Amino acid sequence: MKTRVVIIGGGAAGPKITAKLLRTKEFDCSIDLYTEEDMISYSACGLPYYVEGLIESSEKLIVRKPEQFEQQGAHIHLQKKCIKILPQEHKVLVQDVKTQQTEEIEYDKLAITTGARPIIPSVKNIQLENIFTVRKVQDGINIRNKMRASESKKAVIVGGGYIGIEMLEAFFLNGFEIYLIEKGSHILPIFDAEISDMIKDEIVRMSNGKVHIITDDAVAAFQGANKVEKVVTEKGKIIDTDIVIVCVGVAPNTEIAADAGIQLGVSNAIRVNNRMQTSEKDIYAAGDCTEKFNLIAKNYCWIPLGSTANKEGRCAAINLSGQYDSFPGVLGSAVTRYDGLTLSLTGLTETEAKKYGFDVIASTMTKKDRAGYMPSAENITIKLVVDKRSKKILGAQAIGCGDADKRVNTVASAIQADQTVDQFLHLDMTYAPPFSTAVDPLLSAALVINNQLYQT
Amino acid sequence: MKTRVVIIGGGAAGPKITAKLLRTKEFDCSIDLYTEEDMISYSACGLPYYVEGLIESSEKLIVRKPEQFEQQGAHIHLQKKCIKILPQEHKVLVQDVKTQQTEEIEYDKLAITTGARPIIPSVKNIQLENIFTVRKVQDGINIRNKMRASESKKAVIVGGGYIGIEMLEAFFLNGFEIYLIEKGSHILPIFDAEISDMIKDEIVRMSNGKVHIITDDAVAAFQGANKVEKVVTEKGKIIDTDIVIVCVGVAPNTEIAADAGIQLGVSNAIRVNNRMQTSEKDIYAAGDCTEKFNLIAKNYCWIPLGSTANKEGRCAAINLSGQYDSFPGVLGSAVTRYDGLTLSLTGLTETEAKKYGFDVIASTMTKKDRAGYMPSAENITIKLVVDKRSKKILGAQAIGCGDADKRVNTVASAIQADQTVDQFLHLDMTYAPPFSTAVDPLLSAALVINNQLYQT
């Protein structure tokens, strides 16, 4: 008899599970994927570049269409929202978004891949027109339409995280004057404060007065008749605007999991073990709705990223098909860009490392990213964070030209393999003048720390 | 009393030792560096880009000038060639290049950093004008002057290694029609044959008929009155040309070391231990004149590279100053480019791995290097080589857009840390659409091998 696999959620992890199961010929199963949305498997990460205009058609953001899966034998149920999980009965309740009719679906194995959603802050008049969040393809389409129709070309971005910075780029490159409002003291707070400040200064410097970054302030209210016209901050600033993008963070879609008694963890994300199994028998979870294990902090965290969703989806599929796979966890590697500036990091920042109790030594340096005599040479700033006792590398932050993130990945590879800074500084890295310096900036940063460690 | 440190050779390693000793305040020493050349510390790797015209002034290739060292207290003796080492007496004989006068220099610690030189094949009429090798700054100046004065704009490059390919780029971008003649069956033979062939096809495709690559043939003779006019190959091809660049390989400058009874190893390079000590007491060696330990093959090899010379120079300086440092060895990481195409590798190729007795599994794949919907997405081809028994990664080759070499470095970091392919495929790599795919091409290549390993 076929194993009945039911998947709820169609973002990244759900379709990945579907694809992997379809390739697992030795596992005889039926696959039914339910999503409340009208499409599956789209790249939410690509939305800022669609808004910017780099990608002309929103169709391109769709990685896989339902028909492709249907042709291979999986069943994709659009606009069917899962409203209840019944673990004891091995059933889910699914509601048709249009007709509101519900039906009971039986499963042998269930995968929860419900993703995350933008947090909507409780600010007065947030329901006004032209106030958007960024998550779905339709959000991107709506924002771009309004952006292109805007005459005043004034926008406000609320929140200075990754999406905020990416939307800032999109509006800046479309000729807007933009105010970015960040509640905390620093934009991109996942970086160490001094690195965040370098980024902020660089963004403002490049903007020719068109980008204004306000920190330590928050939106108190929106004003306008039908559409938003003004943003009022807690400190009393009043900003004229035509469009507002709200990106103050995301929350995992885990209400139905909690309701079913499935254990949650950090940030209310679903706790899973290294096989992507939840606390309930035969129920797996993967992607943005799950908690992650931080390999360096040896602690749970919630870092929802598309790259991790893909790895988790694969792991969940292998395990629910009866084979064995283990996903060890994450380092928190991430990257974004702002108008040619790459902003990337992996592992723990100095601030985080101290919070987790490490005795930290750190080094920040700015060097040319390739031989200084090459006209293409540009500055790259690298910060390495090392544990004084074990000498293990804990994290790296890099900002600079295009491939700064690839250097971060080289450190990520070393961190994941528990390398110490004195092992790392011997790393045989490629060298030619158009690509690096004879002593790569990464190794220079490691040398500085090493010299300090062995002097004391 | 000051320790008398004598260094012979002024390329990369000698100046590195000098610089490191000058910073080692607790070591009381005199530093005398002797070189037969009229400058020190220049970037031979930058010569092709000087010839190409990317770097306007040859001055820019000079990393450090003698005066800089002199000001800090080191003594740089230009045009003084070391002609004999007397280990028992702790002396070297040095000859003035102009006056031929010799003098005896006493040392307490000696560092041999004599580098390597281009091999001059014994071909008829190789002494004709306009036939060049590429090693010294003056070579670059001579080649560029002839290139710019050439009316026929026809060149022949003999040898299809790194320097051959870099010189090919330089001449191609200066509007030349070029014949490249490679004795072996493949250009860039440090890559696996099918990768070399991909590179060759791509170079020819991009050249619009201006680049001709001849393999399995060699130069039989040069013809011309004073200057070279024709190249005759062993298979009877006669090629008109204005300039010939000979780059058929390099040989270590180790004759005086051998003459002094110092042990040599592979390719007649000086054998050193992990502290850069030679077989003779108080004599160290570093840079292109020394043998390397290959960390994966667990075998000696000779891969002379500027990046390694810097690491070895640092290690030699620390040890000869009485402290402890160990340089474990190399992976053979290297990179070059051809007109926007990055060609890079680390570790063992499939061919080499088999030669060293590994039971090999390999996977080659071509994927987009970033999200397919980004207009900047380009193909990258990655080959991973893995040991079937231990599942350890043995090597990677990557050709593609600008940052292909940085992906190779991410693998190098994993290889250096003895990672297996199933550890590597969980690597938390940065992801955003302008930088990579949600599953990076490196991880895709690892997944293909992993799936094969665990099915059998």
Side-chain angles (χ1 to χ4, degrees):
Chain A
M1 212 182 90
K2 279 181 188 298
T3 304
R4 294 165 302 180
V5 175
V6 169
I7 301 165
I8 51 177
K16 181 76 184 186
I17 294 173
T18 307
K20 180 72 183 165
L21 288 178
L22 287 170
R23 283 197 300 272
T24 310
K25 298 299 176 200
E26 63 277 19
F27 181 54
D28 189 24
C29 68
S30 64
I31 307 168
D32 287 87
L33 185 153
Y34 296 87
T35 174
E36 62 188 291
E37 298 190 54
D38 56 3
M39 61 177 69
I40 58 162
S41 192
Y42 56 87
S43 172
C45 312
L47 286 171
Y49 309 102
Y50 168 76
V51 171
E52 183 171 319
L54 258 181
I55 308 161
E56 198 36 50
S57 160
S58 65
E59 285 281 308
K60 290 204 171 176
L61 296 175
I62 298 165
V63 183
R64 296 185 188 91
K65 293 194 173 176
E67 305 86 72
Q68 292 170 258
F69 281 136
E70 293 279 352
Q71 279 163 14
Q72 296 175 72
H75 304 294
I76 308 298
H77 309 267
L78 301 178
Q79 299 193 294
K80 300 272 189 182
K81 182 182 167 80
C82 177
I83 54 171
K84 200 163 190 66
I85 301 167
L86 303 161
Q88 299 306 322
E89 304 169 42
H90 276 52
K91 283 179 187 168
V92 293
L93 281 189
V94 167
Q95 185 173 48
D96 187 294
V97 171
K98 283 184 279 192
T99 66
Q100 307 291 313
Q101 278 193 315
T102 60
E103 57 181 317
E104 271 187 11
I105 312 291
E106 290 183 53
Y107 66 81
D108 297 311
K109 306 278 181 187
L110 177 68
I112 305 175
T113 57
T114 43
R117 62 175 180 274
I119 292 169
I120 312 287
S122 48
V123 173
K124 197 179 168 192
N125 295 329
I126 195 155
Q127 78 296 339
L128 284 174
E129 279 177 37
N130 294 7
I131 300 178
F132 302 99
T133 54
V134 190
R135 184 77 189 176
K136 300 183 180 180
V137 173
Q138 194 57 49
D139 298 331
I141 294 170
N142 295 342
I143 294 169
R144 191 161 92 173
N145 288 342
K146 291 292 176 196
M147 171 197 263
R148 292 186 173 180
S150 170
E151 285 178 13
S152 76
K153 287 192 176 286
K154 287 177 188 290
V156 169
I157 293 168
V158 184
Y162 275 119
I163 300 173
I165 296 301
E166 289 164 3
M167 294 308 292
L168 183 65
E169 178 190 82
F171 278 89
F172 174 63
L173 295 180
N174 277 272
F176 273 66
E177 178 167 14
I178 313 119
Y179 283 80
L180 185 146
I181 303 168
E182 163 61 40
K183 203 170 187 170
S185 311
H186 304 277
I187 59 164
L188 292 172
I190 69 165
F191 288 87
D192 275 322
E194 82 280 12
I195 303 286
S196 293
D197 285 345
M198 284 180 66
I199 297 168
K200 177 184 159 184
D201 292 347
E202 192 61 17
I203 289 175
V204 171
R205 191 190 64 74
M206 293 192 293
S207 82
N208 292 316
K210 302 272 273 186
V211 171
H212 313 276
I213 297 181
I214 298 167
T215 52
D216 295 302
D217 199 358
V219 177
F222 298 108
Q223 295 179 347
N226 296 310
K227 64 169 280 301
V228 67
E229 287 163 21
K230 289 180 196 303
V231 177
V232 184
T233 75
E234 287 179 356
K235 291 191 175 165
K237 268 206 161 59
I238 300 173
I239 304 161
D240 289 332
T241 193
D242 210 19
I243 306 177
V244 172
I245 310 294
V246 176
C247 29
V248 296
V250 289
N253 293 320
T254 54
E255 287 77 4
I256 54 165
D259 180 52
I262 293 170
Q263 192 189 352
L264 303 187
V266 173
S267 304
N268 284 328
I270 299 170
R271 175 148 297 179
V272 285
N273 64 14
N274 60 333
R275 301 185 68 190
M276 309 315 293
Q277 293 168 317
T278 70
S279 60
E280 289 293 328
K281 191 168 180 301
D282 296 325
I283 302 183
Y284 296 77
D288 286 0
C289 63
T290 66
E291 200 184 37
K292 322 293 170 194
F293 187 72
N294 186 310
L295 292 167
I296 323 158
K298 311 283 185 217
N299 219 317
Y300 291 99
C301 63
W302 189 56
I303 305 174
L305 289 169
S307 46
T308 307
N310 270 281
K311 293 193 185 84
E312 292 179 338
R314 175 179 175 275
C315 177
I318 292 173
N319 286 307
L320 72 74
S321 74
Q323 296 176 279
Y324 180 85
D325 194 52
S326 169
F327 177 65
V330 302
L331 303 176
S333 305
V335 61
T336 189
R337 74 166 189 196
Y338 182 84
D339 200 14
L341 191 67
T342 301
L343 318 168
S344 60
L345 86 171
T346 187
L348 304 180
T349 60
E350 185 176 2
T351 311
E352 283 173 323
K354 284 178 178 164
K355 197 183 75 185
Y356 281 116
F358 289 99
D359 190 9
V360 169
I361 181 166
S363 138
T364 305
M365 61 160 56
T366 299
K367 258 190 84 169
K368 290 293 175 202
D369 66 340
R370 58 201 76 185
Y373 51 74
M374 296 298 285
S376 53
E378 284 185 57
N379 281 338
I380 182 168
T381 296
I382 289 170
K383 179 169 186 175
L384 275 189
V385 180
V386 169
D387 176 38
K388 254 187 209 169
R389 304 304 165 105
S390 67
K391 302 184 173 39
K392 282 185 192 164
I393 307 172
L394 299 174
Q397 297 160 72
I399 64 175
C401 62
D403 61 11
D405 70 306
K406 301 299 182 298
R407 283 192 165 93
V408 156
N409 284 332
T410 299
V411 184
S413 192
I415 296 176
Q416 194 128 331
D418 269 341
Q419 293 280 287
T420 61
V421 68
D422 43 334
Q423 289 172 317
F424 184 71
L425 62 84
H426 291 126
L427 181 60
D428 192 0
M429 295 179 71
T430 58
Y431 162 61
F435 299 97
S436 67
T437 45
V439 179
D440 191 88
L442 276 185
L443 303 184
S444 297
L447 279 165
V448 169
I449 292 182
N450 194 69
N451 290 345
Q452 288 173 24
L453 277 173
Y454 287 90
Q455 263 174 16
T456 51
Chain B
M1 211 183 89
K2 278 183 190 294
T3 303
R4 294 165 300 180
V5 175
V6 170
I7 301 166
I8 51 177
K16 181 76 185 187
I17 293 174
T18 307
K20 181 72 184 165
L21 288 178
L22 287 169
R23 283 198 301 271
T24 309
K25 299 296 177 206
E26 62 276 20
F27 180 55
D28 189 23
C29 66
S30 63
I31 306 168
D32 286 271
L33 185 151
Y34 295 87
T35 174
E36 63 186 289
E37 298 190 54
D38 56 2
M39 61 176 69
I40 58 161
S41 193
Y42 56 87
S43 172
C45 311
L47 287 172
Y49 308 103
Y50 168 75
V51 171
E52 185 172 316
L54 259 180
I55 308 161
E56 199 35 50
S57 159
S58 65
E59 284 282 309
K60 291 204 170 175
L61 295 175
I62 298 165
V63 183
R64 294 185 188 92
K65 294 195 175 175
E67 304 85 73
Q68 291 170 259
F69 281 137
E70 293 278 352
Q71 280 164 14
Q72 295 175 72
H75 304 293
I76 309 297
H77 309 269
L78 300 179
Q79 299 192 293
K80 301 270 188 183
K81 182 183 168 76
C82 177
I83 55 170
K84 200 163 191 65
I85 302 168
L86 302 160
Q88 299 306 322
E89 304 170 41
H90 275 52
K91 283 181 186 167
V92 292
L93 282 189
V94 166
Q95 185 175 48
D96 188 293
V97 172
K98 283 184 279 191
T99 66
Q100 306 291 313
Q101 279 192 315
T102 60
E103 56 181 317
E104 272 187 10
I105 313 291
E106 290 182 56
Y107 66 79
D108 296 311
K109 305 279 180 187
L110 176 68
I112 306 175
T113 57
T114 43
R117 62 175 180 275
I119 292 170
I120 313 289
S122 50
V123 173
K124 197 180 165 189
N125 295 328
I126 196 155
Q127 79 295 340
L128 284 175
E129 278 178 35
N130 292 10
I131 300 178
F132 301 99
T133 55
V134 189
R135 184 78 190 177
K136 301 184 178 178
V137 172
Q138 194 58 49
D139 298 331
I141 294 171
N142 295 342
I143 294 169
R144 190 161 91 173
N145 287 343
K146 291 291 175 193
M147 172 198 261
R148 292 187 171 179
S150 170
E151 285 179 12
S152 74
K153 287 194 178 283
K154 286 176 188 293
V156 169
I157 292 168
V158 184
Y162 276 119
I163 300 174
I165 295 302
E166 289 164 4
M167 294 307 293
L168 183 66
E169 179 189 82
F171 278 88
F172 174 64
L173 294 179
N174 277 274
F176 272 66
E177 179 169 13
I178 313 116
Y179 282 81
L180 184 147
I181 303 169
E182 163 60 41
K183 203 169 186 172
S185 310
H186 304 276
I187 59 164
L188 291 171
I190 68 165
F191 288 87
D192 276 321
E194 81 281 10
I195 304 287
S196 294
D197 286 345
M198 286 181 64
I199 297 169
K200 177 184 159 184
D201 292 348
E202 193 62 15
I203 289 176
V204 171
R205 190 191 65 73
M206 292 193 293
S207 82
N208 292 316
K210 302 270 274 185
V211 171
H212 313 276
I213 296 180
I214 298 167
T215 52
D216 295 304
D217 200 357
V219 177
F222 298 108
Q223 295 179 348
N226 296 310
K227 66 168 278 301
V228 68
E229 287 162 22
K230 288 179 197 302
V231 177
V232 184
T233 75
E234 287 179 355
K235 289 190 175 166
K237 267 204 162 62
I238 299 173
I239 304 161
D240 289 333
T241 193
D242 209 21
I243 305 178
V244 172
I245 310 294
V246 176
C247 28
V248 295
V250 288
N253 292 320
T254 54
E255 286 76 5
I256 55 164
D259 180 53
I262 293 170
Q263 191 188 354
L264 304 188
V266 172
S267 304
N268 284 327
I270 299 170
R271 175 147 297 177
V272 284
N273 66 13
N274 60 333
R275 300 184 70 188
M276 309 315 292
Q277 293 168 318
T278 69
S279 60
E280 290 292 329
K281 190 167 183 298
D282 296 327
I283 303 184
Y284 296 76
D288 287 0
C289 63
T290 66
E291 202 185 35
K292 322 293 171 192
F293 188 70
N294 187 308
L295 292 166
I296 324 156
K298 311 284 184 217
N299 219 318
Y300 290 98
C301 62
W302 189 55
I303 305 174
L305 288 170
S307 46
T308 307
N310 271 282
K311 293 191 184 85
E312 291 178 339
R314 176 179 174 276
C315 176
I318 293 172
N319 286 305
L320 70 76
S321 75
Q323 294 177 279
Y324 180 85
D325 195 51
S326 169
F327 177 65
V330 303
L331 303 174
S333 305
V335 61
T336 189
R337 75 166 188 195
Y338 182 84
D339 200 15
L341 190 68
T342 300
L343 318 169
S344 61
L345 86 172
T346 187
L348 304 180
T349 60
E350 186 177 0
T351 311
E352 283 173 323
K354 284 178 178 164
K355 196 183 76 185
Y356 281 116
F358 289 98
D359 189 9
V360 170
I361 183 166
S363 138
T364 305
M365 62 160 54
T366 300
K367 259 190 83 169
K368 290 292 176 203
D369 66 339
R370 57 201 76 182
Y373 51 75
M374 296 299 284
S376 52
E378 285 185 58
N379 282 336
I380 182 169
T381 296
I382 289 169
K383 179 169 185 174
L384 275 188
V385 179
V386 169
D387 176 38
K388 255 188 206 168
R389 305 304 165 103
S390 66
K391 301 185 173 45
K392 282 185 191 163
I393 307 173
L394 300 175
Q397 297 159 71
I399 64 176
C401 61
D403 62 11
D405 70 306
K406 302 298 183 298
R407 284 190 165 94
V408 156
N409 284 332
T410 300
V411 184
S413 191
I415 295 176
Q416 194 128 329
D418 269 340
Q419 292 280 285
T420 62
V421 68
D422 43 331
Q423 289 173 318
F424 184 71
L425 61 82
H426 291 127
L427 180 61
D428 192 0
M429 294 178 72
T430 59
Y431 163 62
F435 298 97
S436 66
T437 45
V439 180
D440 190 88
L442 276 185
L443 303 184
S444 298
L447 279 165
V448 169
I449 292 182
N450 195 68
N451 290 345
Q452 288 173 24
L453 277 173
Y454 287 89
Q455 263 171 17
T456 52

